Amino acid sequence: MANIYEKSQYIIPRGRVFFDVLDAADQLTGERHLGNCPTVTLNISTEKAPHYSAEAGPGVKDANRVVRIDRTGKITCDNMSADNRAMFISGEKSTVTQATGNVAAEEITVTPGRFYQLGRTDANPSGARKVSDVVVTPDAGGEPYELGTDYTVDAALGRLQILASGSIPAGKIKVAYAKPSTTWLRIKSGDKAELRGALRVLSNVAEGEQIDTYCPLVTLAPTGDMSLITSDDAYVQMEFDIEVLTPPNGVAIFEDGRPVEI
């Protein structure tokens, strides 16, 4: 009978990535699907402590034990959801609520040719949105300036442009406008440099054995560039560094196959 050899298994990895963030009490809060992640990698490196005999002649190595194991990795994600963007800038989502109101005389110091955000404050840098009935007048009062000749307005974004060819000089002006009740999404960066939680990768390969990977305790730290503007046709991606930790009395990595038919 001929020798029987191991059948090689070739895999082109595909799958779905889930992250289960730990809250302040170190309790898991539920797995969130990160969406399309073109790359998820794990890297394992070891550090050894060599020992050299001093009993005779030149010292010869008679032991080389592993003393440290580092398990790291990387996630590349191109699902630019609000939740993922919040993870990348180490921030959180919120809803901005704009109340209906009329602004009688917002004072702005302007330079011809520049753009200005109506309603901008340090706490609300996006300012007012969906403005209407915009009227620009000199700071000292007098006849209003002319829309289209002296200034333009992007009403949806509340953007005022002082035209260089117009008659508005450098200095202070007053702007009156109305704003409606509306809301929009805001993602604001925070001071949490990394997230702690559990990572699960569910295999979805077209051919070969499905192997699911679970890491009970990891940290995710954003890294690298996220394009805000680009001249090429590449899709925007964000990257996270993975640090795989071993939980108390636990295991760092589980790899599970799928149940077999009985």
Side-chain angles (χ1 to χ4, degrees):
M1 182 177 177
N3 292 339
I4 300 174
Y5 299 104
E6 173 75 13
K7 180 182 178 181
S8 297
Q9 298 188 42
Y10 305 110
I11 294 176
I12 299 177
R14 299 287 189 271
R16 293 181 172 87
V17 183
F18 300 82
F19 185 65
D20 193 345
V21 68
L22 287 166
D23 63 16
D26 268 353
Q27 298 299 308
L28 295 172
T29 56
E31 297 180 7
R32 186 175 68 81
H33 180 210
L34 299 188
N36 190 59
C37 295
T39 305
V40 181
T41 63
L42 284 178
N43 175 273
I44 298 178
S45 62
T46 57
E47 180 180 338
K48 293 184 176 182
H51 180 273
Y52 296 88
S53 173
E55 291 187 331
V60 293
K61 186 186 296 185
D62 59 0
N64 196 14
R65 294 186 173 90
V66 173
V67 293
R68 288 182 179 84
I69 300 177
D70 283 329
R71 300 178 177 97
T72 60
K74 188 177 291 291
I75 295 175
T76 302
C77 182
D78 60 11
N79 173 27
M80 304 303 293
S81 69
D83 287 313
N84 287 349
R85 292 176 74 97
M87 284 177 56
F88 188 77
I89 66 171
S90 303
E92 58 185 16
K93 298 187 306 178
S94 64
T95 298
V96 179
T97 300
Q98 174 178 281
T100 302
N102 293 293
V103 178
E106 182 174 312
E107 187 176 86
I108 304 175
T109 301
V110 299
T111 299
R114 304 287 176 86
F115 294 81
Y116 300 89
Q117 179 63 54
L118 297 177
R120 192 210 74 82
T121 65
D122 290 342
N124 181 29
S126 59
R129 302 290 180 91
K130 301 179 72 174
V131 300
S132 60
D133 303 325
V134 178
V135 178
V136 179
T137 57
D139 182 54
E143 291 297 314
Y145 293 110
E146 185 175 348
L147 176 65
T149 299
D150 299 317
Y151 67 94
T152 63
V153 177
D154 180 341
L157 295 180
R159 303 279 293 165
L160 174 71
Q161 180 186 18
I162 306 302
L163 295 176
S165 59
S167 60
I168 299 177
K172 293 182 179 180
I173 61 171
K174 284 188 169 64
V175 185
Y177 57 91
K179 55 180 182 175
S181 174
T182 188
T183 62
W184 61 86
L185 171 71
R186 171 174 289 163
I187 305 172
K188 185 168 62 175
S189 64
D191 56 3
K192 185 177 293 187
E194 62 185 20
L195 293 173
R196 297 174 73 250
L199 180 70
R200 189 185 302 275
V201 179
L202 295 182
S203 175
N204 192 25
V205 299
E207 183 177 340
E209 184 179 359
Q210 306 287 358
I211 298 293
D212 303 323
T213 301
Y214 184 70
C215 303
L217 182 59
V218 304
T219 62
L220 289 188
T223 185
D225 300 329
M226 181 179 71
S227 297
L228 300 181
I229 295 177
T230 180
S231 60
D232 59 30
D233 296 327
Y235 291 98
V236 179
Q237 296 182 333
M238 60 186 85
E239 292 184 341
F240 300 90
D241 283 336
I242 304 169
E243 184 84 18
V244 181
L245 305 175
T246 301
N249 303 311
V251 176
I253 301 174
F254 294 88
E255 290 205 341
D256 288 305
R258 299 293 169 80
V260 298
E261 296 293 335
I262 298 177

